[in-house]
Amino acid sequence: MATTELSSGVSDVDPLSHGARLALRRVVMVAWLAIALGFAMEALILAGRFAAGSHPATTQVPIELAQGVTWAFFVCAGVSLGTALAKVRASLGGLISAISAPLAMGIAKGTQKVMVSALDAAAKPAILSLTTLGVLRAIEYGLLGWILASMASKEEPRPLHFALAGALIGAVFGGGITVLTIETAAAKDVALALPQAIATGLNEIVFPIGCSLVVYIALQIGRHMKFISSDAR
């Protein structure tokens, strides 16, 4: 009788620990993919600046890299978490993504200030206020998280659909933020150089596509892990 109860207790614990391990692996994978996306975006922005004839200062590169990687890590983690909860409610995924965007932006700005202080460099003045940018990005990534969560709940989500969702959000919101940044700079009598405008456009328009693909890859890896674990049993 005692043996039966013991075996029953073990079988109840194993699924929970196994599910926790799968969730941990998925979180680690999202983290690495988000960091890689941050590096890729900074490389793309640097290439765009060089193509426009700009050569940023040596101290400016690590500052922007730290800010970009931090932003990519936290916002993609938030969107991925929201997408993982798609089976509960897609709107909840959008809410989590909306909260993660301004939070990630604040942490990224804090990282930038730390790097500026450490390297004794001059910080660039912000053109758009953090409040304006935070509200816009909360709406942007909240909507993106809701769309991705809705697609994740389907049987076989396609990578093209995720990429198109990111492209649509990037074109509407990222394009809008880029135009607003240029117009605000002009209103403040601050000439926004072409390399800076290109960098802003690339970051705002291309990043949502990359983040959407990170979420898709993490989603597929999570599903394959479940299939492999079920076959092993």
PDB file of all heavy atoms in Angstrom, residues 38-56 61 64-65 194-200 202-203 206:
ATOM      1  N   GLY A  38      19.779  42.015 -30.630  1.00  0.00           N
ATOM      2  CA  GLY A  38      20.328  43.316 -30.255  1.00  0.00           C
ATOM      3  C   GLY A  38      21.644  43.602 -30.957  1.00  0.00           C
ATOM      4  O   GLY A  38      21.856  44.703 -31.483  1.00  0.00           O
ATOM      5  N   PHE A  39      22.526  42.608 -31.005  1.00  0.00           N
ATOM      6  CA  PHE A  39      23.802  42.770 -31.711  1.00  0.00           C
ATOM      7  C   PHE A  39      23.579  42.963 -33.211  1.00  0.00           C
ATOM      8  O   PHE A  39      24.242  43.783 -33.854  1.00  0.00           O
ATOM      9  CB  PHE A  39      24.695  41.552 -31.469  1.00  0.00           C
ATOM     10  CG  PHE A  39      25.483  41.618 -30.195  1.00  0.00           C
ATOM     11  CD1 PHE A  39      25.020  41.018 -29.037  1.00  0.00           C
ATOM     12  CD2 PHE A  39      26.688  42.294 -30.145  1.00  0.00           C
ATOM     13  CE1 PHE A  39      25.734  41.073 -27.854  1.00  0.00           C
ATOM     14  CE2 PHE A  39      27.428  42.362 -28.967  1.00  0.00           C
ATOM     15  CZ  PHE A  39      26.946  41.753 -27.809  1.00  0.00           C
ATOM     16  N   ALA A  40      22.658  42.173 -33.784  1.00  0.00           N
ATOM     17  CA  ALA A  40      22.392  42.270 -35.222  1.00  0.00           C
ATOM     18  C   ALA A  40      21.837  43.643 -35.586  1.00  0.00           C
ATOM     19  O   ALA A  40      22.215  44.226 -36.615  1.00  0.00           O
ATOM     20  CB  ALA A  40      21.412  41.175 -35.645  1.00  0.00           C
ATOM     21  N   MET A  41      20.938  44.188 -34.747  1.00  0.00           N
ATOM     22  CA  MET A  41      20.368  45.505 -35.022  1.00  0.00           C
ATOM     23  C   MET A  41      21.435  46.588 -34.947  1.00  0.00           C
ATOM     24  O   MET A  41      21.465  47.505 -35.780  1.00  0.00           O
ATOM     25  CB  MET A  41      19.246  45.815 -34.023  1.00  0.00           C
ATOM     26  CG  MET A  41      17.951  45.057 -34.276  1.00  0.00           C
ATOM     27  SD  MET A  41      17.251  45.374 -35.916  1.00  0.00           S
ATOM     28  CE  MET A  41      17.166  47.154 -35.924  1.00  0.00           C
ATOM     29  N   GLU A  42      22.319  46.499 -33.967  1.00  0.00           N
ATOM     30  CA  GLU A  42      23.377  47.500 -33.852  1.00  0.00           C
ATOM     31  C   GLU A  42      24.335  47.420 -35.032  1.00  0.00           C
ATOM     32  O   GLU A  42      24.829  48.440 -35.526  1.00  0.00           O
ATOM     33  CB  GLU A  42      24.137  47.317 -32.531  1.00  0.00           C
ATOM     34  CG  GLU A  42      23.336  47.711 -31.303  1.00  0.00           C
ATOM     35  CD  GLU A  42      22.779  49.117 -31.390  1.00  0.00           C
ATOM     36  OE1 GLU A  42      23.562  50.046 -31.709  1.00  0.00           O
ATOM     37  OE2 GLU A  42      21.574  49.299 -31.150  1.00  0.00           O
ATOM     38  N   ALA A  43      24.612  46.190 -35.495  1.00  0.00           N
ATOM     39  CA  ALA A  43      25.472  46.031 -36.678  1.00  0.00           C
ATOM     40  C   ALA A  43      24.804  46.640 -37.901  1.00  0.00           C
ATOM     41  O   ALA A  43      25.458  47.305 -38.727  1.00  0.00           O
ATOM     42  CB  ALA A  43      25.770  44.552 -36.913  1.00  0.00           C
ATOM     43  N   LEU A  44      23.483  46.432 -38.036  1.00  0.00           N
ATOM     44  CA  LEU A  44      22.738  46.994 -39.164  1.00  0.00           C
ATOM     45  C   LEU A  44      22.729  48.522 -39.104  1.00  0.00           C
ATOM     46  O   LEU A  44      22.908  49.199 -40.133  1.00  0.00           O
ATOM     47  CB  LEU A  44      21.304  46.455 -39.148  1.00  0.00           C
ATOM     48  CG  LEU A  44      20.378  46.943 -40.267  1.00  0.00           C
ATOM     49  CD1 LEU A  44      20.908  46.507 -41.631  1.00  0.00           C
ATOM     50  CD2 LEU A  44      18.958  46.401 -40.048  1.00  0.00           C
ATOM     51  N   ILE A  45      22.543  49.069 -37.916  1.00  0.00           N
ATOM     52  CA  ILE A  45      22.523  50.526 -37.755  1.00  0.00           C
ATOM     53  C   ILE A  45      23.894  51.130 -38.063  1.00  0.00           C
ATOM     54  O   ILE A  45      24.004  52.164 -38.730  1.00  0.00           O
ATOM     55  CB  ILE A  45      22.078  50.890 -36.319  1.00  0.00           C
ATOM     56  CG1 ILE A  45      20.585  50.564 -36.140  1.00  0.00           C
ATOM     57  CG2 ILE A  45      22.324  52.369 -36.030  1.00  0.00           C
ATOM     58  CD1 ILE A  45      20.104  50.694 -34.711  1.00  0.00           C
ATOM     59  N   LEU A  46      24.950  50.465 -37.592  1.00  0.00           N
ATOM     60  CA  LEU A  46      26.301  50.943 -37.896  1.00  0.00           C
ATOM     61  C   LEU A  46      26.578  50.915 -39.396  1.00  0.00           C
ATOM     62  O   LEU A  46      27.173  51.841 -39.952  1.00  0.00           O
ATOM     63  CB  LEU A  46      27.334  50.090 -37.160  1.00  0.00           C
ATOM     64  CG  LEU A  46      27.624  50.458 -35.704  1.00  0.00           C
ATOM     65  CD1 LEU A  46      28.605  49.457 -35.095  1.00  0.00           C
ATOM     66  CD2 LEU A  46      28.173  51.878 -35.595  1.00  0.00           C
ATOM     67  N   ALA A  47      26.128  49.836 -40.046  1.00  0.00           N
ATOM     68  CA  ALA A  47      26.312  49.731 -41.497  1.00  0.00           C
ATOM     69  C   ALA A  47      25.567  50.848 -42.214  1.00  0.00           C
ATOM     70  O   ALA A  47      26.083  51.440 -43.180  1.00  0.00           O
ATOM     71  CB  ALA A  47      25.817  48.371 -41.985  1.00  0.00           C
ATOM     72  N   GLY A  48      24.345  51.149 -41.755  1.00  0.00           N
ATOM     73  CA  GLY A  48      23.583  52.243 -42.350  1.00  0.00           C
ATOM     74  C   GLY A  48      24.262  53.587 -42.168  1.00  0.00           C
ATOM     75  O   GLY A  48      24.278  54.422 -43.083  1.00  0.00           O
ATOM     76  N   ARG A  49      24.853  53.804 -40.992  1.00  0.00           N
ATOM     77  CA  ARG A  49      25.557  55.058 -40.743  1.00  0.00           C
ATOM     78  C   ARG A  49      26.814  55.178 -41.608  1.00  0.00           C
ATOM     79  O   ARG A  49      27.103  56.250 -42.154  1.00  0.00           O
ATOM     80  CB  ARG A  49      25.935  55.144 -39.259  1.00  0.00           C
ATOM     81  CG  ARG A  49      24.755  55.478 -38.350  1.00  0.00           C
ATOM     82  CD  ARG A  49      25.184  55.545 -36.909  1.00  0.00           C
ATOM     83  NE  ARG A  49      24.115  56.055 -36.072  1.00  0.00           N
ATOM     84  CZ  ARG A  49      24.190  56.135 -34.738  1.00  0.00           C
ATOM     85  NH1 ARG A  49      25.291  55.733 -34.132  1.00  0.00           N
ATOM     86  NH2 ARG A  49      23.185  56.607 -34.048  1.00  0.00           N
ATOM     87  N   PHE A  50      27.556  54.096 -41.704  1.00  0.00           N
ATOM     88  CA  PHE A  50      28.753  54.121 -42.547  1.00  0.00           C
ATOM     89  C   PHE A  50      28.386  54.379 -44.008  1.00  0.00           C
ATOM     90  O   PHE A  50      29.083  55.103 -44.717  1.00  0.00           O
ATOM     91  CB  PHE A  50      29.521  52.805 -42.419  1.00  0.00           C
ATOM     92  CG  PHE A  50      30.407  52.738 -41.211  1.00  0.00           C
ATOM     93  CD1 PHE A  50      30.203  51.771 -40.235  1.00  0.00           C
ATOM     94  CD2 PHE A  50      31.449  53.646 -41.040  1.00  0.00           C
ATOM     95  CE1 PHE A  50      31.018  51.715 -39.113  1.00  0.00           C
ATOM     96  CE2 PHE A  50      32.270  53.589 -39.922  1.00  0.00           C
ATOM     97  CZ  PHE A  50      32.052  52.619 -38.954  1.00  0.00           C
ATOM     98  N   ALA A  51      27.268  53.765 -44.447  1.00  0.00           N
ATOM     99  CA  ALA A  51      26.823  53.968 -45.827  1.00  0.00           C
ATOM    100  C   ALA A  51      26.438  55.425 -46.071  1.00  0.00           C
ATOM    101  O   ALA A  51      26.578  55.934 -47.190  1.00  0.00           O
ATOM    102  CB  ALA A  51      25.646  53.050 -46.139  1.00  0.00           C
ATOM    103  N   ALA A  52      25.951  56.093 -45.012  1.00  0.00           N
ATOM    104  CA  ALA A  52      25.567  57.499 -45.141  1.00  0.00           C
ATOM    105  C   ALA A  52      26.740  58.441 -44.915  1.00  0.00           C
ATOM    106  O   ALA A  52      26.568  59.668 -44.917  1.00  0.00           O
ATOM    107  CB  ALA A  52      24.446  57.827 -44.159  1.00  0.00           C
ATOM    108  N   GLY A  53      27.927  57.869 -44.682  1.00  0.00           N
ATOM    109  CA  GLY A  53      29.115  58.697 -44.521  1.00  0.00           C
ATOM    110  C   GLY A  53      29.405  59.144 -43.116  1.00  0.00           C
ATOM    111  O   GLY A  53      30.204  60.060 -42.899  1.00  0.00           O
ATOM    112  N   SER A  54      28.760  58.514 -42.124  1.00  0.00           N
ATOM    113  CA  SER A  54      28.987  58.892 -40.740  1.00  0.00           C
ATOM    114  C   SER A  54      29.902  57.874 -40.066  1.00  0.00           C
ATOM    115  O   SER A  54      29.797  56.666 -40.308  1.00  0.00           O
ATOM    116  CB  SER A  54      27.655  58.946 -39.980  1.00  0.00           C
ATOM    117  OG  SER A  54      27.860  59.161 -38.601  1.00  0.00           O
ATOM    118  N   HIS A  55      30.781  58.359 -39.205  1.00  0.00           N
ATOM    119  CA  HIS A  55      31.690  57.493 -38.459  1.00  0.00           C
ATOM    120  C   HIS A  55      31.556  57.843 -36.981  1.00  0.00           C
ATOM    121  O   HIS A  55      32.169  58.800 -36.503  1.00  0.00           O
ATOM    122  CB  HIS A  55      33.133  57.693 -38.928  1.00  0.00           C
ATOM    123  CG  HIS A  55      33.319  57.419 -40.391  1.00  0.00           C
ATOM    124  ND1 HIS A  55      33.396  56.149 -40.907  1.00  0.00           N
ATOM    125  CD2 HIS A  55      33.404  58.260 -41.458  1.00  0.00           C
ATOM    126  CE1 HIS A  55      33.550  56.204 -42.218  1.00  0.00           C
ATOM    127  NE2 HIS A  55      33.549  57.477 -42.582  1.00  0.00           N
ATOM    128  N   PRO A  56      30.732  57.073 -36.244  1.00  0.00           N
ATOM    129  CA  PRO A  56      30.506  57.388 -34.830  1.00  0.00           C
ATOM    130  C   PRO A  56      31.781  57.248 -34.008  1.00  0.00           C
ATOM    131  O   PRO A  56      32.684  56.483 -34.352  1.00  0.00           O
ATOM    132  CB  PRO A  56      29.462  56.343 -34.407  1.00  0.00           C
ATOM    133  CG  PRO A  56      29.586  55.239 -35.396  1.00  0.00           C
ATOM    134  CD  PRO A  56      29.993  55.888 -36.677  1.00  0.00           C
ATOM    135  N   VAL A  61      29.938  53.712 -29.661  1.00  0.00           N
ATOM    136  CA  VAL A  61      29.514  52.380 -30.108  1.00  0.00           C
ATOM    137  C   VAL A  61      29.127  51.477 -28.940  1.00  0.00           C
ATOM    138  O   VAL A  61      28.033  50.898 -28.935  1.00  0.00           O
ATOM    139  CB  VAL A  61      30.610  51.725 -30.976  1.00  0.00           C
ATOM    140  CG1 VAL A  61      30.231  50.284 -31.319  1.00  0.00           C
ATOM    141  CG2 VAL A  61      30.823  52.532 -32.255  1.00  0.00           C
ATOM    142  N   GLU A  64      25.730  52.658 -27.322  1.00  0.00           N
ATOM    143  CA  GLU A  64      24.550  52.307 -28.093  1.00  0.00           C
ATOM    144  C   GLU A  64      24.336  50.794 -28.121  1.00  0.00           C
ATOM    145  O   GLU A  64      23.190  50.321 -28.144  1.00  0.00           O
ATOM    146  CB  GLU A  64      24.668  52.860 -29.508  1.00  0.00           C
ATOM    147  CG  GLU A  64      24.671  54.382 -29.560  1.00  0.00           C
ATOM    148  CD  GLU A  64      24.721  54.917 -30.981  1.00  0.00           C
ATOM    149  OE1 GLU A  64      24.804  54.092 -31.915  1.00  0.00           O
ATOM    150  OE2 GLU A  64      24.689  56.152 -31.148  1.00  0.00           O
ATOM    151  N   LEU A  65      25.428  50.035 -28.131  1.00  0.00           N
ATOM    152  CA  LEU A  65      25.310  48.576 -28.116  1.00  0.00           C
ATOM    153  C   LEU A  65      24.681  48.099 -26.815  1.00  0.00           C
ATOM    154  O   LEU A  65      23.782  47.242 -26.822  1.00  0.00           O
ATOM    155  CB  LEU A  65      26.685  47.946 -28.295  1.00  0.00           C
ATOM    156  CG  LEU A  65      26.738  46.415 -28.316  1.00  0.00           C
ATOM    157  CD1 LEU A  65      25.929  45.866 -29.478  1.00  0.00           C
ATOM    158  CD2 LEU A  65      28.177  45.924 -28.384  1.00  0.00           C
ATOM    159  N   LEU A 194      21.294  62.977 -41.632  1.00  0.00           N
ATOM    160  CA  LEU A 194      20.824  61.806 -42.369  1.00  0.00           C
ATOM    161  C   LEU A 194      21.218  60.490 -41.690  1.00  0.00           C
ATOM    162  O   LEU A 194      20.360  59.597 -41.565  1.00  0.00           O
ATOM    163  CB  LEU A 194      21.354  61.846 -43.806  1.00  0.00           C
ATOM    164  CG  LEU A 194      20.971  60.653 -44.700  1.00  0.00           C
ATOM    165  CD1 LEU A 194      19.465  60.550 -44.841  1.00  0.00           C
ATOM    166  CD2 LEU A 194      21.645  60.778 -46.063  1.00  0.00           C
ATOM    167  N   PRO A 195      22.455  60.309 -41.223  1.00  0.00           N
ATOM    168  CA  PRO A 195      22.809  59.052 -40.553  1.00  0.00           C
ATOM    169  C   PRO A 195      21.958  58.773 -39.319  1.00  0.00           C
ATOM    170  O   PRO A 195      21.567  57.633 -39.073  1.00  0.00           O
ATOM    171  CB  PRO A 195      24.285  59.253 -40.171  1.00  0.00           C
ATOM    172  CG  PRO A 195      24.788  60.245 -41.157  1.00  0.00           C
ATOM    173  CD  PRO A 195      23.642  61.169 -41.400  1.00  0.00           C
ATOM    174  N   GLN A 196      21.644  59.837 -38.553  1.00  0.00           N
ATOM    175  CA  GLN A 196      20.823  59.653 -37.365  1.00  0.00           C
ATOM    176  C   GLN A 196      19.381  59.302 -37.743  1.00  0.00           C
ATOM    177  O   GLN A 196      18.735  58.481 -37.084  1.00  0.00           O
ATOM    178  CB  GLN A 196      20.837  60.916 -36.501  1.00  0.00           C
ATOM    179  CG  GLN A 196      20.169  60.728 -35.136  1.00  0.00           C
ATOM    180  CD  GLN A 196      20.288  61.966 -34.266  1.00  0.00           C
ATOM    181  OE1 GLN A 196      20.956  62.940 -34.637  1.00  0.00           O
ATOM    182  NE2 GLN A 196      19.656  61.942 -33.108  1.00  0.00           N
ATOM    183  N   ALA A 197      18.884  59.925 -38.809  1.00  0.00           N
ATOM    184  CA  ALA A 197      17.533  59.604 -39.284  1.00  0.00           C
ATOM    185  C   ALA A 197      17.463  58.164 -39.769  1.00  0.00           C
ATOM    186  O   ALA A 197      16.484  57.448 -39.507  1.00  0.00           O
ATOM    187  CB  ALA A 197      17.137  60.568 -40.402  1.00  0.00           C
ATOM    188  N   ILE A 198      18.514  57.717 -40.482  1.00  0.00           N
ATOM    189  CA  ILE A 198      18.563  56.333 -40.957  1.00  0.00           C
ATOM    190  C   ILE A 198      18.612  55.367 -39.783  1.00  0.00           C
ATOM    191  O   ILE A 198      17.912  54.336 -39.773  1.00  0.00           O
ATOM    192  CB  ILE A 198      19.780  56.128 -41.879  1.00  0.00           C
ATOM    193  CG1 ILE A 198      19.590  56.903 -43.188  1.00  0.00           C
ATOM    194  CG2 ILE A 198      20.000  54.648 -42.170  1.00  0.00           C
ATOM    195  CD1 ILE A 198      20.793  56.854 -44.108  1.00  0.00           C
ATOM    196  N   ALA A 199      19.420  55.682 -38.773  1.00  0.00           N
ATOM    197  CA  ALA A 199      19.537  54.822 -37.597  1.00  0.00           C
ATOM    198  C   ALA A 199      18.202  54.708 -36.871  1.00  0.00           C
ATOM    199  O   ALA A 199      17.796  53.616 -36.447  1.00  0.00           O
ATOM    200  CB  ALA A 199      20.609  55.369 -36.651  1.00  0.00           C
ATOM    201  N   THR A 200      17.507  55.834 -36.737  1.00  0.00           N
ATOM    202  CA  THR A 200      16.202  55.834 -36.077  1.00  0.00           C
ATOM    203  C   THR A 200      15.202  54.993 -36.850  1.00  0.00           C
ATOM    204  O   THR A 200      14.456  54.178 -36.271  1.00  0.00           O
ATOM    205  CB  THR A 200      15.669  57.272 -35.936  1.00  0.00           C
ATOM    206  OG1 THR A 200      16.596  58.054 -35.188  1.00  0.00           O
ATOM    207  CG2 THR A 200      14.323  57.289 -35.235  1.00  0.00           C
ATOM    208  N   LEU A 202      15.777  52.527 -39.041  1.00  0.00           N
ATOM    209  CA  LEU A 202      16.114  51.103 -38.989  1.00  0.00           C
ATOM    210  C   LEU A 202      15.713  50.498 -37.651  1.00  0.00           C
ATOM    211  O   LEU A 202      15.133  49.401 -37.594  1.00  0.00           O
ATOM    212  CB  LEU A 202      17.619  50.915 -39.220  1.00  0.00           C
ATOM    213  CG  LEU A 202      18.132  51.135 -40.648  1.00  0.00           C
ATOM    214  CD1 LEU A 202      19.653  51.056 -40.679  1.00  0.00           C
ATOM    215  CD2 LEU A 202      17.534  50.098 -41.594  1.00  0.00           C
ATOM    216  N   ASN A 203      16.017  51.204 -36.582  1.00  0.00           N
ATOM    217  CA  ASN A 203      15.714  50.687 -35.250  1.00  0.00           C
ATOM    218  C   ASN A 203      14.210  50.563 -35.021  1.00  0.00           C
ATOM    219  O   ASN A 203      13.743  49.570 -34.443  1.00  0.00           O
ATOM    220  CB  ASN A 203      16.332  51.599 -34.190  1.00  0.00           C
ATOM    221  CG  ASN A 203      16.215  51.017 -32.803  1.00  0.00           C
ATOM    222  OD1 ASN A 203      16.591  49.879 -32.553  1.00  0.00           O
ATOM    223  ND2 ASN A 203      15.695  51.802 -31.878  1.00  0.00           N
ATOM    224  N   VAL A 206      12.639  48.039 -38.414  1.00  0.00           N
ATOM    225  CA  VAL A 206      13.140  46.673 -38.606  1.00  0.00           C
ATOM    226  C   VAL A 206      13.047  45.844 -37.330  1.00  0.00           C
ATOM    227  O   VAL A 206      12.793  44.636 -37.379  1.00  0.00           O
ATOM    228  CB  VAL A 206      14.597  46.701 -39.121  1.00  0.00           C
ATOM    229  CG1 VAL A 206      15.137  45.288 -39.293  1.00  0.00           C
ATOM    230  CG2 VAL A 206      14.662  47.447 -40.453  1.00  0.00           C
TER     231      VAL A 206
END
